[in-house]
């Protein structure tokens, strides 16, 4: 039985559910994220929601549940999807890139003539020169904004960064879900922090002899929730602000860290991808199309070869049909009669 593409995939990735779920090799931190998120919310629903329902409003736990549902949805969408992996060159394509592309170099397997491919190529993107770098692992020239992730050993289109907290790379296909996850988890942390503190304060005010310490001893779960949410909110709030800046300027984390569009040697380098309008940049990233994966992981590993063989057969059949039609036309004596009497332009083949 032929293996599927995901079973022979060369990158450092894990696959689940027959290749439908793709993650990085190291996913331990992803489970820490999941445990913290579900643990804090479980404590909130068990120890706080009933009291807050009675004393504040019944919508308090409902809103928390909605925020949790959206956070998990965006987290799983970010973690389980292809971030935009570029397929590696295979067969003749890799050989062509490694050994030479000009007519003076023999690129067959038995050839001893070799040359190193150029490391970069310059292309113009909206009037700005952008370098395409050659990846010696994937044997391809990476498109603009792509980069090779050393953790996953893949070239990622519009590479942002490798995030261990979601157990995957963040790139062209899952960046908007990553941003929405950060946004919703920030709201969730602020929400739980606010209402867990509100629970403690309201308990301390129920009786005259009650103090804040006695209220905290009555509901230790609220204290745990508040502490975890307090320390988490600063991290995710800062991350949300940073990625809001990146989305508003249409940059990636990788470009910002490397200073790709920073001023160099007194020369101003313009970002060719930004529209210079914050709202338009946001809409391009968050409301853009859902890009298809280029990997076709659930196909047979030899499916591409079979497709090429089928295309080759169709081309050969078409050429043979044309050759047959031409020979039949030339055998027709009416053609030659037209040639002799000089009326070939008026003679149409049968």
């Amino acid at each position: 039985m032929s293996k599927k593409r995901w079973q022979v995939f060369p990158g450092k990735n894990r696959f689940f559910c027959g290749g439908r779920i793709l993650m990085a090799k190291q996913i331990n931190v992803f489970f820490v994220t999941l445990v913290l998120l579900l643990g804090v919310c479980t404590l909130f629903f068990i120890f706080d929601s009933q009291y807050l329902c009675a004393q504040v409003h019944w919508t308090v736990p409902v809103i928390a549940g909605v925020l949790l549902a959206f956070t998990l949805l965006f987290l799983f969408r970010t973690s389980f999807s292809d971030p935009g992996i570029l397929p590696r060159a295979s067969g003749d394509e890799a050989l062509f890139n490694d050994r030479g592309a000009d007519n003076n170099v023999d690129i067959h397997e038995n050839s001893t003539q070799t040359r190193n491919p150029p490391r970069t190529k310059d292309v113009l993107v909206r009037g700005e020169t952008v370098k395409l770098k050659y990846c010696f692992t994937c044997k391809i020239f990476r498109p603009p904004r792509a980069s090779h992730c050393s953790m996953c050993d893949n070239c990622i289109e519009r590479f942002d960064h490798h995030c261990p907290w979601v157990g995957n790379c963040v790139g062209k296909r899952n960046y908007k879900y990553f941003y929405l996850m950060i946004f919703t988890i920030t709201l969730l942390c602020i929400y739980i922090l606010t209402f867990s503190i509100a629970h403690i304060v309201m308990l301390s005010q129920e009786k005259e002899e009650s103090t804040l310490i006695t209220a905290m001893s009555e509901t230790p779960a609220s204290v745990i929730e508040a502490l975890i949410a307090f320390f988490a909110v600063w991290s995710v709030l800062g991350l949300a602000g940073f990625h809001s800046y990146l989305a508003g300027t249409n940059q990636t984390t990788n470009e910002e860290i490397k200073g790709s569009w920073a001023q160099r040697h007194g020369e101003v380098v313009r970002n060719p991808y930004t529209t210079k309008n914050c709202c338009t940049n946001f809409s391009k990233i968050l409301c853009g199309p859902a890009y298809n994966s280029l990997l076709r992981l659930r196909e047979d590993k030899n499916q591409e070869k079979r497709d090429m063989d089928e295309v080759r057969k169709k081309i050969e059949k078409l050429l043979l049909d044309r050759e047959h039609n031409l020979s039949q036309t030339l055998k027709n004596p009416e053609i030659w009669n037209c040639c002799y009497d000089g009326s070939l332009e008026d003679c149409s083949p049968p």
Side-chain angles (χ1 to χ4, degrees):
M1 184 177 177
S2 178
K3 290 186 177 181
K4 302 293 184 181
R5 286 174 182 265
W6 65 270
Q7 294 176 306
V8 293
F9 187 72
K12 298 176 182 177
N13 294 91
R14 293 175 184 263
F15 296 92
F16 306 94
C17 301
R20 293 178 179 86
I21 294 176
L22 178 151
M23 296 186 74
K25 203 77 172 178
Q26 299 81 14
I27 56 176
N28 296 333
V29 183
F30 166 74
F31 290 111
V32 174
T33 305
L34 211 56
V35 168
L36 285 174
L37 183 62
L38 293 176
V40 171
C41 290
T42 301
L43 290 176
F44 180 80
F45 291 131
I46 292 175
F47 297 101
D48 294 324
S49 61
Q50 186 175 358
Y51 179 87
L52 293 171
C53 257
Q55 300 296 325
V56 182
H57 201 270
W58 62 269
T59 57
V60 172
V62 173
I63 294 173
V66 171
L67 288 174
L68 175 61
F70 276 106
T71 300
L72 290 175
L73 174 66
F74 295 136
L75 173 63
F76 292 149
R77 187 66 177 83
T78 305
S79 301
F80 295 162
S81 61
D82 167 20
I85 297 174
L86 294 166
R88 300 188 183 194
S90 59
D92 293 339
E93 185 183 358
L95 188 65
F96 182 85
N97 289 334
D98 272 343
R99 294 194 173 183
D102 53 34
N103 296 328
N104 298 323
V105 179
D106 184 7
I107 63 170
H108 293 89
E109 293 183 2
N110 297 327
S111 172
T112 57
Q113 291 179 298
T114 61
R115 69 170 177 84
N116 290 326
R119 296 181 67 90
T120 60
K121 286 184 179 180
D122 290 340
V123 296
L124 283 177
V125 179
R126 295 180 180 174
E128 193 71 31
T129 301
V130 177
K131 291 187 179 296
L132 305 184
K133 294 184 179 180
Y134 184 79
C135 179
F136 288 92
T137 302
C138 301
K139 308 294 184 185
I140 60 171
F141 277 97
R142 294 193 289 262
R145 315 190 86 177
S147 185
H148 191 90
C149 175
S150 58
M151 300 293 292
C152 298
D153 199 25
N154 294 309
C155 280
I156 310 296
E157 199 169 4
R158 200 187 180 278
F159 177 74
D160 192 85
H161 69 288
H162 181 91
C163 182
W165 295 100
V166 301
N168 205 349
C169 283
V170 179
K172 181 178 180 178
R173 295 191 68 246
N174 63 352
Y175 180 79
K176 66 179 176 182
Y177 301 108
F178 174 78
Y179 178 83
L180 292 170
M181 180 205 69
I182 292 173
F183 183 74
T184 54
I185 202 170
T186 301
L187 294 179
L188 183 62
C189 286
I190 294 173
Y191 193 84
I192 288 180
L193 175 63
T194 302
F195 281 101
S196 58
I197 292 175
H199 185 191
I200 296 171
V201 171
M202 291 171 70
L203 279 177
S204 66
Q205 294 176 348
E206 282 187 347
K207 299 177 183 179
E208 292 182 0
E209 64 273 12
S210 294
T211 61
L212 200 61
I213 302 298
T214 57
M216 291 170 65
S217 63
E218 289 181 22
T219 176
S222 299
V223 178
I224 295 172
E225 297 161 28
L227 286 173
I228 295 175
F230 175 79
F231 288 110
V233 74
W234 298 110
S235 300
V236 294
L237 186 61
L239 199 59
F242 176 67
H243 280 279
S244 295
Y245 159 73
L246 293 179
T249 56
N250 203 338
Q251 294 187 81
T252 65
T253 302
N254 188 49
E255 291 170 347
E256 175 67 18
I257 292 174
K258 290 182 176 180
S260 300
W261 316 121
Q263 188 172 353
R264 303 176 198 165
H265 309 294
E267 296 181 2
V268 177
V269 182
R270 184 179 62 86
N271 181 1
Y273 306 106
T274 183
T275 61
K276 296 184 179 180
N277 185 305
C278 180
C279 296
T280 307
N281 288 331
F282 262 105
S283 64
K284 283 177 64 177
I285 292 174
L286 301 180
C287 305
Y291 301 99
N292 294 326
S293 175
L294 302 176
L295 298 180
R296 298 183 295 174
L297 292 169
R298 303 191 66 234
E299 289 185 1
D300 291 342
K301 66 174 184 177
N302 297 321
Q303 183 64 40
E304 185 175 0
K305 184 176 182 299
R306 289 196 293 267
D307 291 343
M308 292 301 296
D309 290 341
E310 187 177 347
V311 170
R312 190 179 295 111
K313 288 178 182 178
K314 288 181 179 180
I315 293 174
E316 290 175 354
K317 184 177 183 301
L318 180 62
L319 293 175
L320 288 173
D321 290 344
R322 286 188 176 182
E323 185 179 352
H324 175 73
N325 292 337
L326 180 60
S327 63
Q328 292 297 319
T329 301
L330 293 177
K331 288 178 182 179
N332 190 345
E334 294 181 6
I335 290 291
W336 301 108
N337 293 334
C338 292
C339 292
Y340 288 130
D341 61 17
S343 59
L344 183 60
E345 63 275 6
D346 300 326
C347 182
S348 58

mmCIF file of all heavy atoms in Angstrom, residues 202-235:
data_model
loop_
_atom_site.group_PDB
_atom_site.id
_atom_site.type_symbol
_atom_site.label_atom_id
_atom_site.label_comp_id
_atom_site.label_asym_id
_atom_site.label_seq_id
_atom_site.Cartn_x
_atom_site.Cartn_y
_atom_site.Cartn_z
ATOM 1 N N MET A 202 -16.505 41.496 47.403
ATOM 2 C CA MET A 202 -17.916 41.413 47.794
ATOM 3 C C MET A 202 -18.101 40.509 49.004
ATOM 4 O O MET A 202 -18.946 40.789 49.867
ATOM 5 C CB MET A 202 -18.751 40.913 46.612
ATOM 6 C CG MET A 202 -18.842 41.927 45.469
ATOM 7 S SD MET A 202 -19.592 41.254 43.970
ATOM 8 C CE MET A 202 -21.279 41.067 44.510
ATOM 9 N N LEU A 203 -17.320 39.451 49.095
ATOM 10 C CA LEU A 203 -17.386 38.596 50.283
ATOM 11 C C LEU A 203 -16.918 39.340 51.524
ATOM 12 O O LEU A 203 -17.472 39.162 52.619
ATOM 13 C CB LEU A 203 -16.520 37.346 50.073
ATOM 14 C CG LEU A 203 -17.124 36.190 49.267
ATOM 15 C CD1 LEU A 203 -16.104 35.069 49.102
ATOM 16 C CD2 LEU A 203 -18.383 35.641 49.955
ATOM 17 N N SER A 204 -15.881 40.160 51.364
ATOM 18 C CA SER A 204 -15.353 40.885 52.528
ATOM 19 C C SER A 204 -16.322 41.956 53.037
ATOM 20 O O SER A 204 -16.208 42.405 54.187
ATOM 21 C CB SER A 204 -14.014 41.536 52.175
ATOM 22 O OG SER A 204 -14.199 42.550 51.200
ATOM 23 N N GLN A 205 -17.290 42.348 52.211
ATOM 24 C CA GLN A 205 -18.230 43.407 52.597
ATOM 25 C C GLN A 205 -19.587 42.862 53.042
ATOM 26 O O GLN A 205 -20.466 43.645 53.412
ATOM 27 C CB GLN A 205 -18.437 44.368 51.415
ATOM 28 C CG GLN A 205 -17.195 45.161 51.042
ATOM 29 C CD GLN A 205 -17.397 46.017 49.814
ATOM 30 O OE1 GLN A 205 -18.398 45.864 49.103
ATOM 31 N NE2 GLN A 205 -16.457 46.925 49.549
ATOM 32 N N GLU A 206 -19.751 41.543 53.024
ATOM 33 C CA GLU A 206 -21.040 40.960 53.402
ATOM 34 C C GLU A 206 -21.291 41.068 54.895
ATOM 35 O O GLU A 206 -22.419 41.291 55.333
ATOM 36 C CB GLU A 206 -21.098 39.491 52.963
ATOM 37 C CG GLU A 206 -21.389 39.333 51.475
ATOM 38 C CD GLU A 206 -21.600 37.877 51.096
ATOM 39 O OE1 GLU A 206 -21.285 36.998 51.929
ATOM 40 O OE2 GLU A 206 -22.074 37.614 49.980
ATOM 41 N N LYS A 207 -20.249 40.898 55.695
ATOM 42 C CA LYS A 207 -20.388 40.957 57.156
ATOM 43 C C LYS A 207 -19.487 42.064 57.687
ATOM 44 O O LYS A 207 -18.426 42.351 57.135
ATOM 45 C CB LYS A 207 -19.998 39.614 57.779
ATOM 46 C CG LYS A 207 -20.873 38.444 57.300
ATOM 47 C CD LYS A 207 -20.375 37.139 57.890
ATOM 48 C CE LYS A 207 -21.194 35.955 57.362
ATOM 49 N NZ LYS A 207 -20.703 34.664 57.898
ATOM 50 N N GLU A 208 -19.906 42.648 58.802
ATOM 51 C CA GLU A 208 -19.143 43.751 59.365
ATOM 52 C C GLU A 208 -17.782 43.296 59.874
ATOM 53 O O GLU A 208 -16.806 44.030 59.796
ATOM 54 C CB GLU A 208 -19.929 44.401 60.518
ATOM 55 C CG GLU A 208 -21.188 45.118 60.049
ATOM 56 C CD GLU A 208 -21.913 45.791 61.193
ATOM 57 O OE1 GLU A 208 -21.411 45.671 62.340
ATOM 58 O OE2 GLU A 208 -22.946 46.437 60.941
ATOM 59 N N GLU A 209 -17.751 42.079 60.437
ATOM 60 C CA GLU A 209 -16.485 41.600 60.998
ATOM 61 C C GLU A 209 -15.570 40.972 59.939
ATOM 62 O O GLU A 209 -14.433 40.595 60.229
ATOM 63 C CB GLU A 209 -16.747 40.577 62.114
ATOM 64 C CG GLU A 209 -17.436 39.306 61.650
ATOM 65 C CD GLU A 209 -18.953 39.426 61.653
ATOM 66 O OE1 GLU A 209 -19.459 40.565 61.798
ATOM 67 O OE2 GLU A 209 -19.611 38.383 61.506
ATOM 68 N N SER A 210 -16.070 40.850 58.722
ATOM 69 C CA SER A 210 -15.271 40.243 57.654
ATOM 70 C C SER A 210 -14.200 41.210 57.173
ATOM 71 O O SER A 210 -14.413 42.424 57.112
ATOM 72 C CB SER A 210 -16.162 39.849 56.477
ATOM 73 O OG SER A 210 -17.054 38.824 56.839
ATOM 74 N N THR A 211 -13.050 40.652 56.852
ATOM 75 C CA THR A 211 -11.955 41.438 56.268
ATOM 76 C C THR A 211 -11.549 40.800 54.942
ATOM 77 O O THR A 211 -12.060 39.736 54.561
ATOM 78 C CB THR A 211 -10.736 41.466 57.205
ATOM 79 O OG1 THR A 211 -10.268 40.119 57.386
ATOM 80 C CG2 THR A 211 -11.106 42.091 58.548
ATOM 81 N N LEU A 212 -10.634 41.464 54.291
ATOM 82 C CA LEU A 212 -10.162 40.938 52.996
ATOM 83 C C LEU A 212 -9.448 39.607 53.184
ATOM 84 O O LEU A 212 -9.566 38.703 52.333
ATOM 85 C CB LEU A 212 -9.225 41.968 52.356
ATOM 86 C CG LEU A 212 -9.017 41.846 50.838
ATOM 87 C CD1 LEU A 212 -10.331 42.011 50.078
ATOM 88 C CD2 LEU A 212 -7.993 42.858 50.359
ATOM 89 N N ILE A 213 -8.751 39.457 54.288
ATOM 90 C CA ILE A 213 -8.021 38.205 54.549
ATOM 91 C C ILE A 213 -8.997 37.055 54.778
ATOM 92 O O ILE A 213 -8.806 35.950 54.258
ATOM 93 C CB ILE A 213 -7.088 38.360 55.771
ATOM 94 C CG1 ILE A 213 -6.092 39.508 55.543
ATOM 95 C CG2 ILE A 213 -6.342 37.063 56.048
ATOM 96 C CD1 ILE A 213 -5.169 39.298 54.367
ATOM 97 N N THR A 214 -10.042 37.298 55.559
ATOM 98 C CA THR A 214 -11.017 36.235 55.813
ATOM 99 C C THR A 214 -11.776 35.871 54.534
ATOM 100 O O THR A 214 -12.090 34.707 54.291
ATOM 101 C CB THR A 214 -12.026 36.691 56.886
ATOM 102 O OG1 THR A 214 -12.666 37.912 56.466
ATOM 103 C CG2 THR A 214 -11.330 36.904 58.221
ATOM 104 N N ALA A 215 -12.035 36.866 53.691
ATOM 105 C CA ALA A 215 -12.701 36.586 52.416
ATOM 106 C C ALA A 215 -11.811 35.749 51.512
ATOM 107 O O ALA A 215 -12.285 34.823 50.815
ATOM 108 C CB ALA A 215 -13.070 37.901 51.733
ATOM 109 N N MET A 216 -10.504 36.039 51.520
ATOM 110 C CA MET A 216 -9.563 35.260 50.698
ATOM 111 C C MET A 216 -9.454 33.823 51.202
ATOM 112 O O MET A 216 -9.293 32.891 50.416
ATOM 113 C CB MET A 216 -8.191 35.934 50.707
ATOM 114 C CG MET A 216 -8.162 37.260 49.950
ATOM 115 S SD MET A 216 -6.634 38.191 50.192
ATOM 116 C CE MET A 216 -5.438 37.109 49.429
ATOM 117 N N SER A 217 -9.590 33.647 52.533
ATOM 118 C CA SER A 217 -9.541 32.288 53.084
ATOM 119 C C SER A 217 -10.817 31.509 52.752
ATOM 120 O O SER A 217 -10.801 30.283 52.684
ATOM 121 C CB SER A 217 -9.334 32.344 54.597
ATOM 122 O OG SER A 217 -10.432 32.997 55.219
ATOM 123 N N GLU A 218 -11.920 32.226 52.559
ATOM 124 C CA GLU A 218 -13.184 31.562 52.205
ATOM 125 C C GLU A 218 -13.194 31.094 50.752
ATOM 126 O O GLU A 218 -13.845 30.112 50.422
ATOM 127 C CB GLU A 218 -14.360 32.517 52.440
ATOM 128 C CG GLU A 218 -14.660 32.783 53.901
ATOM 129 C CD GLU A 218 -15.857 33.709 54.063
ATOM 130 O OE1 GLU A 218 -16.673 33.800 53.116
ATOM 131 O OE2 GLU A 218 -15.976 34.345 55.129
ATOM 132 N N THR A 219 -12.499 31.803 49.879
ATOM 133 C CA THR A 219 -12.474 31.428 48.456
ATOM 134 C C THR A 219 -11.036 31.457 47.925
ATOM 135 O O THR A 219 -10.651 32.356 47.173
ATOM 136 C CB THR A 219 -13.386 32.356 47.630
ATOM 137 O OG1 THR A 219 -13.260 32.032 46.250
ATOM 138 C CG2 THR A 219 -13.090 33.823 47.869
ATOM 139 N N PRO A 220 -10.228 30.471 48.329
ATOM 140 C CA PRO A 220 -8.821 30.442 47.864
ATOM 141 C C PRO A 220 -8.709 30.250 46.353
ATOM 142 O O PRO A 220 -7.710 30.670 45.757
ATOM 143 C CB PRO A 220 -8.226 29.256 48.622
ATOM 144 C CG PRO A 220 -9.395 28.402 48.988
ATOM 145 C CD PRO A 220 -10.537 29.334 49.217
ATOM 146 N N ALA A 221 -9.713 29.625 45.729
ATOM 147 C CA ALA A 221 -9.668 29.433 44.281
ATOM 148 C C ALA A 221 -9.653 30.777 43.553
ATOM 149 O O ALA A 221 -8.961 30.949 42.547
ATOM 150 C CB ALA A 221 -10.865 28.601 43.831
ATOM 151 N N SER A 222 -10.411 31.741 44.080
ATOM 152 C CA SER A 222 -10.430 33.072 43.464
ATOM 153 C C SER A 222 -9.065 33.742 43.558
ATOM 154 O O SER A 222 -8.649 34.468 42.645
ATOM 155 C CB SER A 222 -11.485 33.947 44.133
ATOM 156 O OG SER A 222 -12.766 33.396 43.984
ATOM 157 N N VAL A 223 -8.361 33.497 44.658
ATOM 158 C CA VAL A 223 -7.019 34.062 44.825
ATOM 159 C C VAL A 223 -6.067 33.465 43.784
ATOM 160 O O VAL A 223 -5.262 34.183 43.163
ATOM 161 C CB VAL A 223 -6.497 33.800 46.255
ATOM 162 C CG1 VAL A 223 -5.086 34.346 46.413
ATOM 163 C CG2 VAL A 223 -7.433 34.408 47.291
ATOM 164 N N ILE A 224 -6.158 32.146 43.578
ATOM 165 C CA ILE A 224 -5.298 31.478 42.589
ATOM 166 C C ILE A 224 -5.588 32.009 41.179
ATOM 167 O O ILE A 224 -4.675 32.310 40.403
ATOM 168 C CB ILE A 224 -5.509 29.945 42.645
ATOM 169 C CG1 ILE A 224 -5.049 29.399 44.005
ATOM 170 C CG2 ILE A 224 -4.764 29.248 41.512
ATOM 171 C CD1 ILE A 224 -5.394 27.947 44.232
ATOM 172 N N GLU A 225 -6.875 32.143 40.885
ATOM 173 C CA GLU A 225 -7.256 32.671 39.560
ATOM 174 C C GLU A 225 -6.713 34.077 39.358
ATOM 175 O O GLU A 225 -6.156 34.402 38.300
ATOM 176 C CB GLU A 225 -8.783 32.718 39.428
ATOM 177 C CG GLU A 225 -9.470 31.387 39.504
ATOM 178 C CD GLU A 225 -10.945 31.554 39.817
ATOM 179 O OE1 GLU A 225 -11.509 32.603 39.452
ATOM 180 O OE2 GLU A 225 -11.522 30.651 40.427
ATOM 181 N N ALA A 226 -6.872 34.910 40.383
ATOM 182 C CA ALA A 226 -6.436 36.302 40.276
ATOM 183 C C ALA A 226 -4.921 36.400 40.089
ATOM 184 O O ALA A 226 -4.438 37.206 39.288
ATOM 185 C CB ALA A 226 -6.869 37.081 41.518
ATOM 186 N N LEU A 227 -4.163 35.571 40.816
ATOM 187 C CA LEU A 227 -2.703 35.601 40.691
ATOM 188 C C LEU A 227 -2.251 35.173 39.297
ATOM 189 O O LEU A 227 -1.405 35.830 38.673
ATOM 190 C CB LEU A 227 -2.070 34.699 41.760
ATOM 191 C CG LEU A 227 -2.088 35.227 43.196
ATOM 192 C CD1 LEU A 227 -1.581 34.168 44.175
ATOM 193 C CD2 LEU A 227 -1.248 36.500 43.310
ATOM 194 N N ILE A 228 -2.812 34.060 38.809
ATOM 195 C CA ILE A 228 -2.418 33.573 37.472
ATOM 196 C C ILE A 228 -2.817 34.584 36.404
ATOM 197 O O ILE A 228 -2.034 34.901 35.499
ATOM 198 C CB ILE A 228 -3.042 32.196 37.196
ATOM 199 C CG1 ILE A 228 -2.480 31.152 38.171
ATOM 200 C CG2 ILE A 228 -2.779 31.766 35.752
ATOM 201 C CD1 ILE A 228 -3.135 29.783 38.044
ATOM 202 N N ALA A 229 -4.037 35.100 36.500
ATOM 203 C CA ALA A 229 -4.511 36.071 35.503
ATOM 204 C C ALA A 229 -3.705 37.363 35.566
ATOM 205 O O ALA A 229 -3.429 37.977 34.526
ATOM 206 C CB ALA A 229 -5.991 36.366 35.727
ATOM 207 N N PHE A 230 -3.290 37.774 36.772
ATOM 208 C CA PHE A 230 -2.529 39.017 36.914
ATOM 209 C C PHE A 230 -1.175 38.917 36.211
ATOM 210 O O PHE A 230 -0.763 39.839 35.494
ATOM 211 C CB PHE A 230 -2.328 39.334 38.405
ATOM 212 C CG PHE A 230 -1.454 40.522 38.652
ATOM 213 C CD1 PHE A 230 -1.950 41.811 38.522
ATOM 214 C CD2 PHE A 230 -0.122 40.361 39.032
ATOM 215 C CE1 PHE A 230 -1.142 42.919 38.745
ATOM 216 C CE2 PHE A 230 0.683 41.468 39.260
ATOM 217 C CZ PHE A 230 0.174 42.744 39.118
ATOM 218 N N PHE A 231 -0.468 37.805 36.445
ATOM 219 C CA PHE A 231 0.845 37.649 35.811
ATOM 220 C C PHE A 231 0.728 37.378 34.307
ATOM 221 O O PHE A 231 1.602 37.774 33.527
ATOM 222 C CB PHE A 231 1.628 36.524 36.486
ATOM 223 C CG PHE A 231 2.122 36.884 37.853
ATOM 224 C CD1 PHE A 231 1.577 36.294 38.986
ATOM 225 C CD2 PHE A 231 3.117 37.839 38.025
ATOM 226 C CE1 PHE A 231 2.019 36.628 40.249
ATOM 227 C CE2 PHE A 231 3.565 38.177 39.286
ATOM 228 C CZ PHE A 231 3.016 37.578 40.415
ATOM 229 N N ALA A 232 -0.355 36.702 33.901
ATOM 230 C CA ALA A 232 -0.524 36.393 32.479
ATOM 231 C C ALA A 232 -0.928 37.614 31.669
ATOM 232 O O ALA A 232 -0.525 37.765 30.510
ATOM 233 C CB ALA A 232 -1.565 35.288 32.306
ATOM 234 N N VAL A 233 -1.730 38.494 32.272
ATOM 235 C CA VAL A 233 -2.292 39.599 31.499
ATOM 236 C C VAL A 233 -1.219 40.552 31.006
ATOM 237 O O VAL A 233 -1.341 41.116 29.904
ATOM 238 C CB VAL A 233 -3.360 40.350 32.325
ATOM 239 C CG1 VAL A 233 -2.726 41.198 33.412
ATOM 240 C CG2 VAL A 233 -4.231 41.208 31.414
ATOM 241 N N TRP A 234 -0.136 40.735 31.770
ATOM 242 C CA TRP A 234 0.913 41.642 31.321
ATOM 243 C C TRP A 234 1.628 41.097 30.092
ATOM 244 O O TRP A 234 1.990 41.851 29.180
ATOM 245 C CB TRP A 234 1.908 41.896 32.459
ATOM 246 C CG TRP A 234 1.261 42.557 33.634
ATOM 247 C CD1 TRP A 234 1.004 42.008 34.856
ATOM 248 C CD2 TRP A 234 0.754 43.897 33.681
ATOM 249 N NE1 TRP A 234 0.367 42.909 35.669
ATOM 250 C CE2 TRP A 234 0.203 44.084 34.976
ATOM 251 C CE3 TRP A 234 0.699 44.955 32.773
ATOM 252 C CZ2 TRP A 234 -0.379 45.284 35.374
ATOM 253 C CZ3 TRP A 234 0.124 46.149 33.163
ATOM 254 C CH2 TRP A 234 -0.401 46.303 34.443
ATOM 255 N N SER A 235 1.835 39.788 30.076
ATOM 256 C CA SER A 235 2.506 39.176 28.923
ATOM 257 C C SER A 235 1.638 39.252 27.675
ATOM 258 O O SER A 235 2.090 39.700 26.613
ATOM 259 C CB SER A 235 2.849 37.712 29.228
ATOM 260 O OG SER A 235 3.698 37.616 30.339
#
